Amino acid sequence: MMHPRTFRVDYDHVTSVVCVVDSGLNVNLNRSAPPGSEFFSVKSTATVQYSISPRPQETSHLSPIPLKGNSALLIRMSHASDYENDGKLSIRYYGEKKDVLGRALMHLTAVEISLDVDADRDGVVEKNNANKGSWKWGSNGHGAILLVNCDSEWMFLKKPDSEQDQVSKVSDLKDMSLMVLRTKGPAKLPEGYKLTMHISQGDAESVRVFRARSSGVESNSMQKLFNLFVKEYPLVLSNEVLSQEVPYLGGVSEMKFYVEGLRYPDKDFDGLISINLSLLEPISEGLPETPIFTDTAVFRVAPWIMTPNTLQPVEVFVCCTSDNYQFLKGMRNLVTKSGYKLKICHEYMNREDRWMQDELEFGYIDSPHHGFPVVLDSPRDRGLKDFPYDELLGPDFGYVTRVAQREDVSSLDSFGNLEVSPPVTVNGKNYPLGRILIGVAFPTATKGRNMTKVVQDFLWAQKVQEPVALFSDWLLVGHIDEFMSFVPAPDRKGFRLLLASPDAGYKLFRGLHRDGHGQAKLFEGLKDEEQQTVDEILNDRGLAAENNYVQSCIDWNRDVLKRELGLDDEDIIDLPILFKLVMDNKAETELRAVAYYPDMVNMIVLGKNLGIPKPFGPKVNGRCALEVEMCSLMEGLGLSCTFIDAFASYHKQLGEVHCGSNVRREPFYFKWWNLEM
Amino acid sequence: MMHPRTFRVDYDHVTSVVCVVDSGLNVNLNRSAPPGSEFFSVKSTATVQYSISPRPQETSHLSPIPLKGNSALLIRMSHASDYENDGKLSIRYYGEKKDVLGRALMHLTAVEISLDVDADRDGVVEKNNANKGSWKWGSNGHGAILLVNCDSEWMFLKKPDSEQDQVSKVSDLKDMSLMVLRTKGPAKLPEGYKLTMHISQGDAESVRVFRARSSGVESNSMQKLFNLFVKEYPLVLSNEVLSQEVPYLGGVSEMKFYVEGLRYPDKDFDGLISINLSLLEPISEGLPETPIFTDTAVFRVAPWIMTPNTLQPVEVFVCCTSDNYQFLKGMRNLVTKSGYKLKICHEYMNREDRWMQDELEFGYIDSPHHGFPVVLDSPRDRGLKDFPYDELLGPDFGYVTRVAQREDVSSLDSFGNLEVSPPVTVNGKNYPLGRILIGVAFPTATKGRNMTKVVQDFLWAQKVQEPVALFSDWLLVGHIDEFMSFVPAPDRKGFRLLLASPDAGYKLFRGLHRDGHGQAKLFEGLKDEEQQTVDEILNDRGLAAENNYVQSCIDWNRDVLKRELGLDDEDIIDLPILFKLVMDNKAETELRAVAYYPDMVNMIVLGKNLGIPKPFGPKVNGRCALEVEMCSLMEGLGLSCTFIDAFASYHKQLGEVHCGSNVRREPFYFKWWNLEM
């Protein structure tokens, strides 16, 4: 039961008051008794319940009760009134000789008020959930959920709906959370009482509330329909209006509101917002009304969630450029064979920027009532920079970005450097949505490149896929997808971590040498590419030293991944890949690594089909030894390898198949609000 | 035990490596074995422990062990080395016929490294506390504590030490947290290995680290001493240097560091910072060294804590103005009688701004090693604006402020509107440091004054005295100290909440009328003040209506205070005080309340002595009836009332005794880090 409200009653007056059903009024009887009062008595109509404290001694309950310093009356009404002032209560005050010194009369009107949301997360707004005013994670948790309305209902002159200043289509309502104000009481409230909805200044940056004026609109002119529609969903609360009166409809009524999220959790926003509905009591002209009852609903803004390689693909995106026919052909075959859609971004849009992986990351947002994919646009902003907004943003396809200072953006801000693991359990802690992985410089480095702070802050603030920072600054391009990937597996944790491994590469080449294939050649059949024999590679002591360094960098990441994802060595597969060090022209003195031959770990994973950069390795009996090794490592997992020739148009430009593609995947079956945090 | 580090060993090589005692090396034996290897064997010196996995079958342990795909060697050293490379381990690889195919030799050097802090909070830096890398609240908690170094060691050209760019006095060191780097190992590390201390970019805004170069300084010239001193404590980490090498001293050694907090917890800073110490392994020229071991110490920045009326006073501050002789005389008598120090701020400093309560709030910060008072300077900034910085900031007296936009600052930003309750328990939740109380407009108000957001954010971020927002915008001046105060009590919760109560005032006046004192006069003996009889007041229906409104405002706060501080009606005492409404000139149409006669609740509490504004109420038998009532209400609590004449110089200027004074108090005995959060 709610804390009762302190209420003052004057003698020789009629006091009218509205109270909310089941919320009490606490009247201090002594405070405003006539001087000389020694006794009192109380009478009420049946609809008004009261109790006296301290509890009077059990004599005839009709006789006056001694008035004490702490005598108080607790009044409550358990049912809504049919008419204004239909509850009555009177107090009589008596002197020493039980002579009547004064009488106070109260007229009471009871209303039921409940600001209702889907606090039990079943997609339906239930009535007056006891837990609606707080938010708790977990399958036994509670609290309503809000989406950032970051898609665009319109394709023409579009922008995210949260940046539009009105609700402009019925379809926009489903991106918002329904909130229902349920009231029950007389046809109208007594003079001066009113209902007000309000939010705090801080929350107003993150949320807006619209009201549904009525249920239907009928019209057939488009513009008229639009205008009518906007009028039908007036804006109630926003950054500019923190508090606004909402009508009391009378009788038993429900009024619908639509709550719209405006921003994602971030460093300065934990994602929680409160919406309040208060009943105001009038005082008099020029004085602010007093809130005498407040009901509060708490929402959490849904986080942006990434999708790992183990989730079912929906669409595959690649760029068409002037020189990548070979690659497109290979990709089309693979994607068609796998049964997914291939979407091609054409040259007018990509402006010869082929790195589809790097400009954007596909994710999604979800709630019990609705969910949709959301693209995170990188601050990288090269040729593809308009693609996420211009081509992806649309109805039920959201858009979010973080704006960084130009000088803070480096190659590590490309989203080949942003991945997510499959679900893992680490020392008993579950990550059913996996963990985000990013690449940065060593924390000990006095200089070095990093993912920009605004993006890192955003990723950490989403909370549900707690990020892990890896070391990728040792690579010239600096992306974690150059040394790692995840593939599905039928056993163990449901996946394997693939790591590029120079040691595995050298082991394979030494084996070839031992078996008499030292003269087999890499890069055979590639024009403009100098061929290398296995023995030439094995005899290059400089290359060996460089690869030892690369292996130590990857081993450092291996140790972090084992620790932070709870992996054993048996969960990891080493792929035979060599690197070489080159001068980083942008940093003059720094040596950084690039793949020596196509970097097979930089693959695209489509269910059980892997699209792997064709390595052009040494041939033994007509088959590429690297492809044979790769197939043998993968086939135990039931995975099928397709090698795609991306040599000229990708590998020579320091990227591979994964860098040149992107996959939108199905969301997790697991609901993020069921996380135990 | 720590996760072992993946380490690669080449055959036909000697590999030198440094490892940290008790942290393992994990060598994948298969990965770099010579081609054709089928067996291996391992030998080591006594100082090197190793285990083989999978565990070999128990045959003669001297015979070669079959090499499997997952064969691995876990190596560790349990004691620090006396000399470089004094641990040896060799691996032999054998072919099918147990012919030796290759041999790998490792030279190992073990060191002990521990970055130590006072994680158990006893004021002493213990050795390698297992919990130093995390922070937990409570009496069973752990984690080191940091002070914001916001006092000033220098009185001349002073500024807070955290804004100085060096350590300039020995006394400054005690405001910082000692951190000790303990190492044990050979006289020097093998070539290229080094130690580096580092912090994240985010943490660097909040912390700096100095190093003690040696233990003592001897000199007698002041300037020489200063220069020497600064050299003796070089800055290691700061906003500009996130990572810096620290020397390895060799043998058994301890190096002292001093960690300095730079900013208080705030909306964007949770108060936690990490300091890391890594051992770096060299790779080669032009390549970044790899961190192979990292030890981390976590600190929490001590929050700023307010002191309620129930704590022991230390000093009382008042202003001397051209017209307040009478008030100063009264205060001097009270403070002297009570045994405390009276400090007077003179006119050259206060510029006729007499509201000592409003410009500043006294608080303190505390840690297991040190603590001191800290003044929070209000953005109010009237005549007294320089007083906190110029007069209070000094050695072991800290200063903090929040800068607001001029247009955002209102009368509600004066710290008469910022108070703190005594310790309370609310629905089983303990607040052993009480709860902060501030006054704002109703959350439902469409307009109204508020405490500025930067100050509110600061107060909420301190966490340990979770704030409660009251409604004070109904008052012309708008400060919660106009209607409430706390006094110590020997019973119940150890205190009473005093509330101004027009109802109690009317009750008293009605009683006077009934007893034949209706012609007794208020304001007797005050020149330039029109006297009022009790009957005149009782007959003023307008005044009664105004006071009904005021009572409803105070009752609203009463209900919030009961709920948020867990109080019963018996914990509250109503004081007989009347108000009247006046036009707020700054807001034209708004009526707001001021006290009708001196507002007795606006008192100063010095232990059991209360300094109360002399009310100049109606006299009965030569004694002021208001004073008599006040004394009678307080004496049951063992409190002594002194009435101070502040009528002309304070009351008439819309303030009273509390507004015109400030008290610095002893800190809580309870330590904030023992809070269960």
Side-chain angles (χ1 to χ4, degrees), chain A residues 6 8 243 444 503 514 556 559, chain B residues 6 8 36 243 291 444 503 559:
Chain A
T6 297
R8 55 188 311 284
S243 175
T444 52
D503 277 357
R514 189 198 52 184
W556 194 89
D559 290 339
Chain B
T6 297
R8 56 186 310 286
S243 175
T444 52
D503 277 357
D559 289 339

Side-chain angles (χ1 to χ4, degrees), chain B residues 472-599:
Chain B
S472 68
D473 191 34
W474 56 278
L475 287 150
L476 180 66
V477 174
H479 299 173
I480 58 172
D481 71 349
E482 299 178 76
F483 65 83
M484 60 168 289
S485 186
F486 294 96
V487 292
D491 58 353
R492 297 186 60 84
K493 303 184 168 75
F495 68 89
R496 292 290 189 283
L497 167 63
L498 308 184
L499 288 178
S501 170
D503 277 357
Y506 273 96
K507 193 175 167 66
L508 183 138
F509 288 126
R510 282 195 206 103
L512 290 178
H513 167 84
R514 189 199 53 184
D515 297 342
H517 304 295
Q519 291 306 307
K521 292 188 182 70
L522 280 86
F523 308 135
E524 236 181 328
L526 289 166
K527 64 173 181 187
D528 305 332
E529 194 62 25
E530 203 185 328
Q531 297 179 12
Q532 299 276 328
T533 66
V534 167
D535 285 349
E536 279 165 354
I537 286 173
L538 288 176
N539 293 333
D540 185 339
R541 294 179 65 105
L543 185 66
E546 292 173 15
N547 275 287
N548 281 354
Y549 165 63
V550 167
Q551 185 67 58
S552 76
C553 293
I554 295 173
D555 281 346
W556 194 89
N557 287 303
R558 179 190 186 95
D559 289 339
V560 173
L561 287 161
K562 282 171 71 176
R563 189 172 67 234
E564 300 295 339
L565 303 182
L567 305 184
D568 303 313
D569 284 320
E570 287 70 22
D571 297 312
I572 303 174
I573 296 176
D574 290 314
L575 303 186
I577 297 161
L578 300 192
F579 290 79
K580 62 185 175 188
L581 298 187
V582 298
M583 288 294 256
D584 185 346
N585 292 329
K586 291 191 191 137
E588 288 298 335
T589 55
E590 303 262 3
L591 286 167
R592 290 193 160 116
V594 298
Y596 190 86
Y597 47 80
D599 185 357

